Amino acid sequence: MVLSWAPHVRPLPQSVANSFAEWMIAAEIDLVITHPRGMDLSVKFIGTVPILHQQESAFKDADFVYVKNWSSFSDYGKFENIPEWKVTQEKLALTKNARLMHCLPVRRNVVIADDALDSDHSVVMRQAENRLFTAQSVLKKILEASK
């Protein structure tokens, strides 16, 4: 599993990336994080997960690629739009037929190129649909607990 930083038009918080890394570690999933230098996540959440600063190297032989933007931990709010970090079909070709993930909404052709987002490898829409069932499950638990 690869968690990849991607460009965005404004700085975003680290919450999704931190939570994703924390859960992958808890589930004992083989995780690699890739991001440009200076866009580090908190060690509190990523522990000893390998960090690669070359996206193409991180994608090599990956089964899943989760794409997300985040701000620098050490310089929170630091914003860099680095277009060459956009995920493309060419980069996905380096993987082992990896499934492409993103939590939506996504800025097309900024974060992920259309050819990758609309490919058969993209599970972005299924991932979004799963949130509906997750939210229903949480709501059910809350309602049951309040009885």
Side-chain angles (χ1 to χ4, degrees):
M1 169 66 75
V2 175
L3 172 60
S4 178
W5 183 93
H8 202 274
V9 297
R10 63 184 175 91
L12 296 177
Q14 296 188 343
S15 54
V16 172
N18 284 336
S19 295
F20 183 79
E22 189 174 37
W23 278 99
M24 293 299 99
I25 293 166
E28 299 180 356
I29 303 294
D30 186 17
L31 177 66
V32 171
I33 298 173
T34 185
H35 60 74
R37 293 189 188 283
M39 290 300 165
D40 301 301
L41 292 167
S42 171
V43 174
K44 176 182 175 183
F45 296 101
I46 65 167
T48 59
V49 170
I51 306 297
L52 298 177
H53 297 292
Q54 295 163 340
Q55 194 178 41
E56 290 84 355
S57 297
F59 281 25
K60 186 175 181 338
D61 297 329
D63 294 306
F64 291 88
V65 175
Y66 191 104
V67 183
K68 186 69 181 119
N69 176 274
W70 61 81
S71 297
S72 166
F73 176 73
S74 60
D75 190 9
Y76 192 77
K78 176 182 176 182
F79 173 64
E80 288 190 50
N81 185 1
I82 307 171
E84 57 269 20
W85 276 76
K86 174 176 63 179
V87 174
T88 64
Q89 191 64 31
E90 293 79 24
K91 290 178 184 177
L92 289 176
L94 301 170
T95 69
K96 289 188 338 190
N97 245 359
R99 297 295 180 204
L100 175 65
M101 302 173 68
H102 189 280
C103 60
L104 295 183
V106 64
R107 293 186 184 265
R108 286 180 167 271
N109 295 312
V110 174
V111 177
I112 303 173
D114 280 343
D115 64 349
L117 197 53
D118 297 332
S119 75
D120 291 338
H121 300 285
S122 175
V123 294
V124 171
M125 294 309 291
R126 279 193 280 168
Q127 182 181 352
E129 290 168 1
N130 286 339
R131 282 201 313 253
L132 172 65
F133 303 115
T134 304
Q136 288 173 338
S137 177
V138 169
L139 182 58
K140 181 179 183 281
K141 291 280 187 192
I142 291 171
L143 292 173
E144 289 172 345
S146 66
K147 289 183 182 179

